[in-house]
Amino acid sequence: MKRVVISEFMDERAVEDLARDHEVLYDPALVDDPDRLSAEIATADAIIVRNRTQVRGALLEAARNLKAVGRLGVGLDNIDLEACAARSISVHPASGANDQSVAEYVLTSAAILLRRSYTGFDAMVAGDWPRQSMGTGGEMGDRVMGLVGMGSIARETAARAKGLSMVIHGYDPFVPADDPIWASVHRHEGLDTLLAEADVISLHVPLTEGTRHLIGADALASMKSGAVLVNAARGGVVDEAALANALASGQIAGAALDVFETEPLTAEAGEKFKGLGNIILTPHIAGVTADSNVRVSAVTVANVRAALSD
């Protein structure tokens, strides 16, 4: 029987399933207690995390027996992959398990931003009846959905956007021109042309030195004035100060951010967004629904169980 530490929330039925054949410590509060987490991981054979637990540095050093890391999601920037590889610690993302949730988040956010009809609660209950100002938004149909990055979540988003009669454009220098996806998605060879033509820009790239502030002042200036931006990928891909300026000036029509340069978002980091009525802010939950939590947890348990049986 191996020992598994779970430091963030997951579906409790999956926890019970894993506990049938392994010793499991499940405590979602561990992520906020680094000293205790280091002590608990010292004898662990595996750890299961979401995006907040930093599997690197001192924590990895404390994990003397670690053999596997299960990731309740797909992003791996909170895990030192090189250090894990050097110690033969296998890393297992829950690939594909939350694609649908993120795709639905992207499309829902885009629809809300384009329609501009969901921010009038105060006026409505005050009896102002703001029909004139709230009836000026646009529809999804025939709008151009621009996908930056064409991984599995972007492809799921594209499939659903087509169902809304959107025209799909994409940019990804790492997906070859002969990939079948380009048969149904208009391929751009440069980001600049995609930004200039899209009504909705949705980001689907990891955070690397090459993508940090990929959407900065110049990129925002090249977008259509009525365009909207959705980032449910990684914080840091968007220059938040430049975005706040673009939203305040009306340079672009709206934005939805689920990920941030500082996470959790602090009051200080969030100050730049105050007073903006054309932005949606959510706490890194695009891929987290009751449904996806079940799928992600089940996939992660299967991955960790298989890794510990090797």
Side-chain angles (χ1 to χ4, degrees):
M1 181 177 286
K2 303 295 176 64
R3 186 165 189 269
V4 181
V5 171
I6 305 170
S7 62
E8 298 182 63
F9 75 91
M10 66 184 290
D11 180 54
E12 294 197 10
R13 287 166 295 183
V15 176
E16 293 168 3
D17 178 41
L18 186 61
R20 287 189 296 108
D21 46 15
H22 294 294
E23 177 189 344
V24 175
L25 170 64
Y26 173 52
D27 185 351
L30 272 176
V31 66
D32 295 313
D33 190 345
D35 291 339
R36 183 170 167 238
L37 177 56
S38 292
E40 295 292 357
I41 202 175
T43 56
D45 297 284
I47 185 170
I48 294 176
V49 304
R50 285 191 181 269
N51 63 297
R52 292 184 59 212
T53 305
Q54 299 299 309
V55 187
R56 60 178 73 255
L59 186 64
L60 264 182
E61 289 176 13
R64 296 184 295 272
N65 298 325
L66 201 65
K67 300 174 183 63
V69 179
R71 169 69 168 92
L72 293 158
V74 293
L76 299 175
D77 44 309
N78 61 314
I79 300 170
D80 188 335
L81 297 177
E82 289 187 7
C84 287
R87 289 177 48 186
S88 299
I89 299 170
S90 58
V91 178
H92 305 275
S95 301
N98 65 358
D99 289 4
Q100 177 178 331
S101 299
V102 180
E104 289 186 4
Y105 175 95
V106 169
L107 292 172
T108 301
S109 299
I112 289 170
L113 292 167
L114 286 174
R115 190 64 184 260
R116 305 176 198 166
S117 297
Y118 301 93
T119 58
F121 177 83
D122 291 340
M124 284 295 296
V125 297
D128 290 345
W129 199 248
R131 195 165 188 264
Q132 207 59 20
S133 61
M134 291 177 65
T136 60
E139 300 171 355
M140 298 281 275
D142 298 325
R143 292 293 200 281
V144 174
M145 167 67 79
L147 300 168
V148 181
M150 288 304 304
S152 62
I153 294 176
R155 296 180 189 218
E156 195 74 31
T157 303
R160 283 165 167 70
K162 286 174 195 170
L164 295 169
S165 300
M166 297 191 81
V167 181
I168 316 302
H169 290 213
Y171 165 70
D172 192 327
F174 300 102
V175 176
D178 61 355
D179 190 289
I181 190 63
W182 302 123
S184 57
V185 175
H186 178 78
R187 180 175 178 266
H188 286 257
E189 295 192 358
L191 178 61
D192 53 347
T193 59
L194 178 74
L195 294 175
E197 294 182 30
D199 299 293
V200 177
I201 298 291
S202 182
L203 305 179
H204 298 273
V205 296
L207 179 63
T208 66
E209 286 307 309
T211 63
R212 185 175 297 278
H213 286 187
L214 181 68
I215 306 299
D218 290 342
L220 290 161
S222 69
M223 290 172 60
K224 292 179 177 180
S225 60
V228 301
L229 172 72
V230 181
N231 185 16
R234 282 292 174 266
V237 175
V238 174
D239 181 336
E240 293 173 5
L243 175 62
N245 290 335
L247 292 169
S249 68
Q251 189 173 330
I252 65 171
L257 299 182
D258 185 55
V259 289
F260 302 89
E261 296 184 85
T262 300
E263 288 193 15
L265 187 68
T266 62
E268 182 181 6
E271 182 71 27
K272 65 178 78 73
F273 301 120
K274 280 191 175 179
L276 296 174
N278 53 352
I279 188 168
I280 298 168
L281 304 178
T282 53
H284 206 142
I285 45 79
V288 182
T289 64
D291 306 285
S292 72
N293 187 38
V294 172
R295 294 193 300 270
V296 166
S297 298
V299 168
T300 302
V301 163
N303 288 341
V304 168
R305 180 176 277 128
L308 293 179
S309 67
D310 288 344

